[in-house]
Amino acid sequence: MTDERPLRTAEIIAVGSELLGSTRLDTNSLFLSERLAGLGIELRTKSVVGDDRAAIRTLFEHALARADVVILTGGLGPTDDDLTRDAVADALALPLEEDAAIVEMIERRFARRGLRMPAVNRKQALVLKGATVLTNPLGTAPGQFLEHLGRVVLLLPGPPRELQAMMDRVVAGPLGARAGHERLLRAVMFVTGRSESHVEELTQPLYSRWRDSEPRIDTTILAGPGHIELHLTMRSEDAERAGEALTQARDQLVAAVGPDVFSLDGRHMEQVVGDMLRERNLTIAVAESCTGGLLMSRLTDVPGSSAYVLGGAVAYSNHAKILLADISPDLLAEHGAVSEAVAVALAEGIRSKTGANIGVGVTGIAGPTGGTPTKPVGTVSIAVVDPNGTARVRTLLFPGGRAQVRFQATQAALDMVRRMVAAT
Ligand code: ATP
Ligand code: MG
């Protein structure tokens, strides 16, 4: 190693003409920025460039003049439009040398599938003079790790799975070793049922103090669909002490916000509810109207949900409510389809029809039409019947368009289940 100065800054260049079009997005840089942050390396700039040798070269030269680490992703394949190796070689005035071991590895990879290696694949064995080869067990394009005048140049393959596995090895290996001892630690909490500004009001008096504490903790509040996220980050060379400080800080925020906090580990609502149901051996069934199956879809998005989801019905029309959830026509006529009485009847009906421990009923007006002065668009009644047969019901008014109303209705329904199960 020529230079032991720790790496502090990075740039990412995503290579691929398809990433400039309207159908493909550069997602590799999202993953890479997370891993860089974990090493305490600050991502300064990222860019996307087409399969153009001169353009890649120019961009790379500018990046290398500014950042300690430059990561290029994509363009390591065997075809004519895979130009990353050549562009970097041009910029650094380094020769590309064929690596016999890589040729052999690619040949074996083809042979395993009973194929002969096409001649073009030899190109993937070209390595920048002085670079370390990063093998690619998931594909043919190897990566390259090069130390150049105290900086690091990293060439990674475009396919996300291949890139991620390779980056994790580089982080655990040569990149981590050069990154200095400071690490970025993060704690997250998800909150539902409160607005961003309300969460801010509750937490700001606490976290504003931590900005000036030693070590300092930064707090970010982000509004997501149906929930608010708080991210706490801290840089420290002592991961253990920092981890404790961060947990203490987070616990203070949890105490301030209370039971509206539903996740401390990045799990989303359907996962949190699913885990609670599984732990307690409870089953659930839902009868949903305005959410059109979205609630059931979210519940069953969770792998293993068959352990607690029995089934349900999309009871969209009045007739379907009568047929699928045993709602009485008189009840519908008396209260209207969007009412607390009907929400409770949906939950009770589906619970008794399926034999589930917990029944959920959702009925509302997703819009954009169908609102009335007393029941405007966004009005949703949600009922949850607990294992004892006791019903809880709420009517909420959600802002936004049809998709937002529907999603928030499922989030509120899941949250009612969460609170009910937590209390039993
Ligand atoms: P290969 O040997 O597979 O050709 P490569 O390094 O040449 O490897 P590309 O051809 O550039 O990679 O991309 C392969 C696939 O990976 C493409 O389907 C592309 O959509 C995807 N991909 C490439 N770059 C990115 C990126 N920055 N973010 C997300 N996906 C990407
Ligand atoms: Mg390619």
Side-chain angles (χ1 to χ4, degrees):
M1 250 173 260
T2 50
D3 191 340
E4 285 301 328
R5 192 177 57 88
L7 307 168
R8 298 207 175 281
T9 57
E11 292 206 19
I12 296 173
I13 300 173
V15 180
S17 295
E18 79 275 16
L19 303 170
L20 295 171
S22 59
T23 56
R24 291 289 180 94
L25 213 52
D26 158 39
T27 55
N28 283 342
S29 64
L30 305 178
F31 173 86
L32 294 171
S33 69
E34 173 74 25
R35 288 299 182 269
L36 289 168
L39 291 175
I41 298 174
E42 185 193 346
L43 178 62
R44 286 277 176 82
T45 301
K46 60 177 182 173
S47 43
V48 174
V49 63
D51 300 308
D52 174 325
R53 186 162 170 171
I56 301 168
R57 173 186 176 158
T58 309
L59 206 52
F60 171 70
E61 285 170 348
H62 285 132
L64 199 64
R66 291 183 296 236
D68 299 334
V69 182
V70 179
I71 305 181
L72 298 107
T73 94
L76 296 181
T79 57
D80 274 349
D81 59 0
D82 290 310
L83 296 162
T84 304
R85 275 175 298 261
D86 303 282
V88 172
D90 293 346
L92 301 177
L94 284 176
L96 288 165
E97 298 172 340
E98 187 175 284
D99 183 308
I102 301 177
V103 176
E104 205 179 302
M105 227 159 47
I106 300 176
E107 276 174 343
R108 271 206 308 272
R109 212 183 146 75
F110 277 98
R112 271 204 300 276
R113 290 184 288 154
L115 301 169
R116 197 182 48 78
M117 181 183 89
V120 289
N121 278 85
R122 280 198 108 81
K123 186 175 157 187
Q124 293 187 289
L126 293 175
V127 178
L128 294 157
K129 189 179 172 62
T132 306
V133 172
L134 307 167
T135 55
N136 184 354
L138 303 173
T140 55
Q144 304 190 30
F145 181 95
L146 178 72
E147 305 218 21
H148 183 83
L149 305 177
R151 302 182 174 217
V152 166
V153 177
L154 198 51
L155 273 55
L156 298 174
R161 248 166 39 92
E162 299 174 24
L163 167 130
Q164 288 171 13
M166 202 177 281
M167 182 65 179
D168 279 337
R169 278 189 289 132
V170 176
V171 165
L175 193 63
R178 288 280 327 268
H181 301 295
E182 199 174 82
R183 292 290 180 269
L184 186 81
L185 284 92
R186 194 194 299 279
V188 293
M189 55 189 264
F190 292 174
V191 180
T192 193
R194 288 183 192 264
S195 69
E196 191 177 6
S197 49
H198 197 188
V199 171
E200 161 86 10
E201 204 171 78
L202 290 171
T203 56
Q204 198 270 349
L206 288 167
Y207 75 69
S208 61
R209 285 190 273 130
W210 302 334
R211 253 196 308 257
D212 306 315
S213 69
E214 191 48 57
R216 150 188 164 152
I217 299 176
D218 286 303
T219 308
T220 319
I221 302 186
L222 302 164
H227 74 259
I228 307 294
E229 299 185 11
L230 279 104
H231 291 229
L232 306 181
T233 53
M234 184 185 211
R235 291 175 180 279
S236 173
E237 298 201 352
D238 184 343
E240 196 175 327
R241 246 195 59 211
E244 281 167 21
L246 212 51
T247 306
Q248 273 178 20
R250 188 192 64 192
D251 289 348
Q252 288 183 49
L253 295 180
V254 171
V257 179
D260 291 335
V261 178
F262 68 89
S263 176
L264 296 178
D265 51 16
R267 281 178 309 153
H268 286 279
M269 183 67 88
E270 55 273 31
Q271 179 86 55
V272 170
V273 168
D275 289 345
M276 292 173 85
L277 295 173
R278 193 203 323 266
E279 278 161 22
R280 291 166 175 80
N281 275 317
L282 293 170
T283 57
I284 192 167
V286 310
E288 51 188 319
S289 181
C290 65
T291 47
L294 186 60
L295 180 54
M296 182 54 91
S297 170
R298 289 188 64 193
L299 278 168
T300 56
D301 273 342
V302 181
S305 50
S306 60
Y308 50 85
V309 176
L310 292 194
V314 181
Y316 215 53
S317 67
N318 280 354
H319 179 65
K321 290 181 180 68
I322 296 164
L323 191 74
L324 301 173
D326 286 341
I327 308 289
S328 94
D330 294 345
L331 191 82
L332 278 167
E334 187 183 339
H335 297 275
V338 178
S339 60
E340 296 197 342
V342 168
V344 170
L346 285 167
E348 284 172 342
I350 202 71
R351 179 172 172 268
S352 66
K353 279 189 102 114
T354 58
N357 300 119
I358 298 164
V360 182
V362 182
T363 177
I365 302 154
T369 56
T372 66
T374 49
K375 292 174 187 171
V377 167
T379 303
V380 181
S381 293
I382 305 168
V384 175
V385 178
D386 72 15
N388 302 318
T390 309
R392 281 146 234 240
V393 63
R394 296 180 72 188
T395 296
L396 298 154
L397 182 62
F398 296 114
R402 186 172 172 84
Q404 282 81 16
V405 169
R406 280 156 62 108
F407 186 83
Q408 292 174 92
T410 64
Q411 187 76 344
L414 290 168
D415 193 46
M416 280 176 71
V417 174
R418 177 182 73 90
R419 284 165 201 263
M420 183 277 287
V421 172
T424 51

